[in-house]
Amino acid sequence: MAKVSPLMLAPPLIFLALAGTFYVAMQRENPDELPSALEGKKAPAVQVGTFADAQPFSDEDLRNGEVKLVNYWASWCAPCRAEHPQLEILADEGVPIYGINYKDKPSQAVSFLEELGNPYAKLGTDDGRMALNWGVYGVPETYVIDGDGTILLRFAGPITKSILESTIRPALQAE
């Protein structure tokens, strides 16, 4: 009877280990969802710069008793352009949206809003410092904040019509 070399067992064992890892990873409810350590916690401090002639917002605005969105965006961001109609819809419905223009050229950011409309109640700029504290991966990224400044939801990526209905609206109504 021939001896089985340990090297002959390595490929099937490696395959089983990888298959097990993939199986466990696929059991997540939404594998595309990025985790947020801030959900359920108070929003980090607001440290925004001035955006053109827009009124900036502050920590007090996040704790003013009403549910609102904080939206990171940039003029150079194609998904930000794609989600913009959904933000306009929410703003037209009276949802306050605080915009943070992220690592952008001021003139291009102003042109972006002049072209597409301005859904933001208040605006600020961020060179990346505030985004680090908020755990921003990239733009667009949107946070639903309750009346006392607690983060109810963090959504990374563009808000599409289906995301608006399945994710953002339920979070806005959860308050």
Side-chain angles (χ1 to χ4, degrees), residues 52-70:
D53 60 353
Q55 185 178 8
F57 66 99
S58 65
D59 287 322
E60 291 78 33
D61 291 310
L62 297 187
R63 292 154 180 77
N64 63 5
E66 61 184 352
V67 179
K68 80 263 320 141
L69 297 181
V70 172

Side-chain angles (χ1 to χ4, degrees), residues 6 14 31 36 40 42-43 47 55 59 63 68 70 77 88 102 120 125 132 134-135 141-143 150 154 157 163 165:
I14 291 171
S36 175
K42 296 290 183 192
Q47 303 166 325
Q55 185 178 8
D59 287 322
R63 292 154 180 77
K68 80 263 320 141
V70 172
C77 164
E88 293 267 292
Y102 181 72
Y120 302 109
T125 62
L132 282 174
W134 282 63
E141 205 158 300
T142 304
Y143 295 80
T150 300
R154 173 186 161 269
I163 294 297
E165 298 305 324

Side-chain angles (χ1 to χ4, degrees), residues 86-159:
Q86 278 35 261
L87 298 177
E88 293 267 292
I89 288 168
L90 289 169
D92 289 346
E93 293 172 358
V95 176
I97 305 172
Y98 298 103
I100 302 173
N101 183 243
Y102 181 72
K103 294 184 177 183
D104 208 348
K105 293 181 181 175
S107 62
Q108 291 177 345
V110 169
S111 293
F112 180 91
L113 293 181
E114 286 174 351
E115 176 189 345
L116 299 177
N118 183 355
Y120 302 109
K122 295 184 179 180
L123 280 159
T125 62
D126 182 25
D127 61 5
R129 291 182 197 146
M130 184 172 150
L132 282 174
N133 294 336
W134 282 63
V136 172
Y137 284 86
V139 290
E141 205 158 300
T142 304
Y143 295 80
V144 177
I145 312 288
D146 75 4
D148 70 352
T150 300
I151 296 174
L152 300 175
L153 172 77
R154 173 186 161 269
F155 183 78
I159 299 172

Side-chain angles (χ1 to χ4, degrees), residues 3-12:
K3 281 179 131 180
V4 176
S5 166
L7 290 176
M8 291 178 66
L9 293 176

